Amino acid sequence: QVQLAESGGATVEAGGSLRLSCAVSGDTDSIEFFGWYRRFPGERRVQVAGQRGGGPVNYADPVKGRFTLSRDIVTNTIYLQMNSLKPEDTAVYYCNVDLATGVGSLRPFWGQGTQVNVSA
């Protein structure tokens, strides 16, 4: 099991930057996937950025070139650097990790969400 604690959500003006943080505790050695999702009002969560194993980071088309996903192994923290923010980036952002369960499947864990508001 892991516990995720997000921080960094705020209100910023369009064109500004934010860095979201996700502190991960618990069985961090079993993490197979980590990333960030976001949820717009009335919609389901969608992936913003994610990395599986040692593979490349996948970014959703709307954030390519503006957002950067990273992970600090020493502090067990996952980051999402968001630059050139747009009003359409306004959403609740969720940190996600998938743990290997030892039976060939993955179990997802989620943070509580952090609100990002971008004003025009």
Side-chain angles (χ1 to χ4, degrees), residues 92-115:
V92 179
Y93 285 73
Y94 296 88
C95 180
N96 161 251
V97 299
D98 291 346
L99 297 191
T101 64
V103 292
S105 62
L106 299 176
R107 179 182 176 186
F109 290 84
W110 297 92
Q112 79 282 1
T114 185
Q115 179 73 47

Side-chain angles (χ1 to χ4, degrees), residues 46 60 74 87-89 94 116-117 120:
V46 294
V74 175
E88 51 263 44
D89 294 318
Y94 296 88
V116 172
N117 295 312

Side-chain angles (χ1 to χ4, degrees), residues 45-68:
R45 281 182 293 210
V46 294
Q47 188 178 117
V48 174
Q51 184 177 28
R52 185 171 302 282
V57 178
N58 292 312
Y59 293 97
D61 285 344
V63 307
K64 284 181 179 177
R66 299 189 297 122
F67 290 12
T68 303

Side-chain angles (χ1 to χ4, degrees), residues 21-34:
S21 300
C22 175
V24 186
S25 58
D27 187 14
T28 57
D29 289 342
S30 296
I31 293 175
E32 289 290 327
F33 171 90
F34 66 93

